[in-house]
Amino acid sequence: MLMEEVLRRENLMKAHARVVKNGGAPGVDGMNIDELWPYCQKHWARIREELLSGKYVPQPVRRVEIPKPGGAGTRTLGIPTVLDRMIQQAVLQVLQPKIDPTFSDASFGFRPGRSAHDAIKRARGYVQQGYEWVVDVDIEKFFDRVNHDVLMARVARRVEDKRVLLLIRRFLQAGVMEGGLVSQHAQGTPQGGPLSPLLSNILLDELDQELERRGHHFVRYADDCNVYVRSEEAGKRVMASLERFLEKRLRLKINRDKSAVARPWERKFLGYTVTRHGKTRLTVAPQSVKRLKGKLRPILRRGRGRALVRVVEELAPVVRGWVGYFRMAEVETCFKDLDGWIRRKLRCILWKQWKRPWTRERQLRAHGLGPARAKASAGNGRGPWWNAGASHMHVAIPNALLRHLGLVSLLDEYRRLACST
């Protein structure tokens, strides 16, 4: 039986190791990951019996709100207790190998051996084949709006063990604790639990099957779905029919403000977009560049009272991680422009740190400027940003000096990664 497979010692040990590796905050009971093993040693006989008999009741999840990328509101996460995370992980490890192979080849999100980069490559391929209109479907508050009955009906088609089905439903209905009060919900699958991605794929697999039945070229990553067609008229027809399908069959709504029928180069998909003219090439979407700048600004703002080398050290992991994700881009321009923006920000920090005209004059002379030029530059009356881009700061603080301090060049990092792939 499936529940016995979930509760095998080897499966549970693997689940425990994964939860510990993932870390994360405690749930509503305050238990952290270091306390999980001692707790299981003491109470596992009882917990196992409750799971086998169908009497186990998960605790409510702890509500946490995090800012959405780009500052467009917040996203709600539901943090289960570490014990419930381990049990969910154990269920996931048994269900995923059985269910995942049945999913569509056009589905890429939260699946073993598949990545966002694979989805982006597939999308670029469709545009290169001449499908130069995209139906960009954004499902409104997907994780908050999933209907439990609709979802469980789809899960029941794939899972026969009624104890596992009951456990999954109880995880869905565990409720959310906020301000000491628990609120129950008839819909939604909280982001934050190990099972949520698989459950979302089970539900949206019905959308994938419908798109395949109609013969569409599409790519889906979690709740982001792009359908590629040859004309605007075809795109509008697809958008209207998908809206009806989602509302009628899955009780989900399309976010009309974020969804559109447009040219692929007018939209972004997983942070990327494509070039408009000539050969279709991947490039970083402008929104992704803006988001990176928003992430770097707090680090740069904190730099006014610190040595520049410390600021550079803090920038390095953020920059490397960003370039690592966008290494598939086939246009270098944004990496070069970002390098220039970061260097100017760092020079701006130094100009502000020097504060007084006589300090600036002294520092400019110390960095190689002649007395007359140093004096004229230090007293020019312009603001820090203008001076950071002026020739005297480029001479005093050349790019080579910033590299010596450890500044990671996005362009150099991109080229290095591009050569290695």
Side-chain angles (χ1 to χ4, degrees), residues 339-340 343-344 347 393-407:
D339 272 340
R343 288 193 295 261
R344 189 169 180 179
R347 293 184 179 109
M393 281 299 283
H394 281 260
V395 172
I397 312 295
N399 295 350
L401 175 58
L402 295 174
R403 284 197 298 271
H404 179 72
L405 292 174
L407 180 64

Side-chain angles (χ1 to χ4, degrees), residues 242-309:
L242 287 183
E243 187 170 17
R244 291 192 298 270
F245 175 84
L246 287 168
E247 288 190 12
K248 183 177 179 181
R249 295 286 294 274
L250 303 181
R251 300 189 193 178
L252 296 170
K253 290 186 177 181
I254 287 178
N255 186 328
R256 295 191 178 185
D257 293 333
K258 294 183 179 180
S259 302
V261 176
R263 295 291 197 176
W265 47 84
E266 295 171 350
R267 308 294 292 179
K268 68 178 178 69
F269 181 55
L270 301 177
Y272 284 81
T273 187
V274 295
T275 54
R276 178 173 184 173
H277 300 292
K279 181 182 176 182
T280 300
R281 294 184 296 168
L282 290 173
T283 186
V284 180
Q287 300 95 317
S288 300
V289 174
K290 183 179 179 181
R291 190 179 304 166
L292 176 65
K293 288 183 175 181
K295 195 170 184 178
L296 295 179
R297 279 194 179 97
I299 300 174
L300 294 163
R301 276 196 295 266
R302 292 196 295 270
R304 187 170 179 180
R306 295 191 295 166
L308 204 63
V309 67

Side-chain angles (χ1 to χ4, degrees), residues 313-330:
E313 286 175 357
E314 197 171 348
L315 291 173
V318 180
V319 166
R320 285 200 172 97
W322 193 86
V323 177
Y325 179 75
F326 287 104
R327 66 183 183 272
M328 287 178 54
E330 297 163 295

Side-chain angles (χ1 to χ4, degrees), residues 10-210:
E10 295 80 6
N11 188 53
L12 291 168
M13 295 295 288
K14 183 180 175 183
H16 175 268
R18 175 54 65 91
V19 169
V20 171
K21 180 180 179 181
N22 290 343
V28 296
D29 61 355
M31 185 191 302
N32 60 46
I33 55 174
D34 294 328
E35 298 171 305
L36 177 58
W37 182 254
Y39 181 85
C40 287
Q41 285 182 313
K42 185 176 181 180
H43 299 283
W44 187 250
R46 171 184 57 80
I47 296 167
R48 176 184 172 84
E49 180 56 35
E50 289 178 357
L51 288 165
L52 286 171
S53 62
K55 295 178 181 178
Y56 182 81
V57 179
Q59 295 193 61
V61 299
R62 182 167 65 86
R63 181 187 178 95
V64 177
E65 290 191 351
I66 60 172
K68 286 185 177 180
T74 59
R75 174 178 287 115
T76 301
L77 297 183
I79 309 299
T81 64
V82 290
L83 174 61
D84 286 336
R85 293 209 293 269
M86 187 185 82
I87 295 171
Q88 284 195 37
Q89 181 64 36
V91 174
L92 175 69
Q93 289 167 182
V94 170
L95 292 185
Q96 192 159 47
K98 300 176 185 296
I99 297 175
D100 187 83
T102 68
F103 289 150
S104 167
D105 184 55
S107 167
F108 292 89
F110 309 118
R111 298 186 60 190
R114 289 174 165 244
S115 68
H117 286 170
D118 297 325
I120 293 159
K121 288 177 186 176
R122 181 74 61 87
R124 177 187 58 185
Y126 289 142
V127 180
Q128 289 174 337
Q129 292 170 32
Y131 296 89
E132 295 188 342
W133 287 89
V134 61
V135 183
D136 187 351
V137 177
D138 182 279
I139 300 175
E140 186 174 15
K141 296 181 179 179
F142 172 72
F143 286 95
D144 296 334
R145 298 282 175 84
V146 171
N147 182 281
H148 292 170
D149 291 335
V150 172
L151 172 58
M152 289 307 302
R154 274 68 185 172
V155 176
R157 296 172 187 171
R158 302 168 182 265
V159 177
E160 295 182 357
D161 194 321
K162 296 189 183 306
R163 296 168 299 176
V164 175
L165 290 173
L166 177 61
L167 180 61
I168 293 173
R169 182 176 279 276
R170 283 180 175 166
F171 276 124
L172 291 172
Q173 297 177 335
V176 177
M177 178 172 285
E178 188 176 20
L181 299 175
V182 178
S183 56
Q184 301 293 334
H185 297 284
Q187 60 183 21
T189 170
Q191 290 175 268
L195 263 177
S196 292
L198 177 64
L199 296 178
S200 68
N201 274 332
I202 289 174
L203 182 64
L204 291 176
D205 185 60
E206 191 157 340
L207 171 63
D208 298 341
Q209 291 178 20
E210 179 65 16

